[in-house]
């Protein structure tokens, strides 16, 4: 009953920027924490950034100072502004949200479909 749809991925040169967006829709009563993860071929999915319901943020060390996570509660969206991109940032990026579904009447984690980010040197 809940769907997260990502957008904004693409190909960019090293040093460039991209802005990822993820919009949640469906039978949503409330959204708690939201976050972005990434996964490269042959590697485990890695937590990149999180943002709480009160907009407190945290980042993996490798992106601190370059990436910014934000949310718009009125639109049920989360964004990831990625600046000074490096080739090692290349991955599929996934958004996640802790959502209370009106249909399920319970909390659960929901994932987006993923969007490819490729950074060339």
């Amino acid at each position: 009953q809940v769907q997260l749809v990502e957008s904004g991925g693409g190909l960019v040169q090293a040093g460039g920027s991209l802005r990822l967006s993820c919009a949640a829709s469906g039978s949503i009563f409330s959204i708690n924490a939201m976050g972005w993860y990434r996964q490269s071929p042959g590697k485990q999915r890695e937590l990149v950034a999180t943002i709480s319901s009160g907009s407190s943020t945290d980042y993996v060390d490798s992106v601190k100072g370059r990436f910014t996570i934000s949310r718009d509660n009125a639109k049920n969206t989360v964004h990831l502004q990625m600046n000074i991109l490096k080739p090692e940032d290349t991955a599929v990026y996934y958004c996640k949200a802790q959502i209370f579904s009106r249909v399920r009447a319970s909390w659960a984690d929901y994932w987006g479909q993923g969007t490819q980010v490729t950074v060339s040197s």
Side-chain angles (χ1 to χ4, degrees):
Q1 299 294 321
V2 175
Q3 184 179 20
L4 273 60
V5 179
E6 299 185 6
S7 62
L11 174 64
V12 66
Q13 293 184 339
S17 299
L18 285 173
R19 184 173 184 262
L20 306 183
S21 299
C22 176
S25 61
S27 301
I28 299 170
F29 180 79
S30 183
I31 302 178
N32 192 17
M34 306 181 82
W36 288 94
Y37 293 71
R38 65 187 181 187
Q39 187 169 24
S40 299
K43 296 183 179 180
Q44 296 287 335
R45 190 168 296 186
E46 173 189 38
L47 176 62
V48 178
T50 60
I51 184 166
S52 71
S53 60
S55 296
S56 177
T57 61
D58 199 12
Y59 303 89
V60 67
D61 286 344
S62 60
V63 309
K64 287 182 178 177
R66 300 188 298 119
F67 290 11
T68 302
I69 188 171
S70 61
R71 65 191 290 165
D72 185 336
N73 293 330
K75 297 181 179 180
N76 291 333
T77 59
V78 61
H79 305 280
L80 186 67
Q81 179 66 47
M82 304 185 295
N83 298 324
I84 319 176
L85 282 162
K86 304 175 180 179
E88 50 262 45
D89 295 319
T90 295
V92 177
Y93 284 71
Y94 300 87
C95 64
K96 190 195 79 172
Q98 297 173 342
I99 296 174
F100 190 95
S101 170
R102 290 185 293 176
V103 174
R104 287 190 172 202
S106 63
W107 289 94
D109 289 341
Y110 294 87
W111 290 86
Q113 80 285 359
T115 184
Q116 177 71 48
V117 172
T118 302
V119 184
S120 63
S121 60

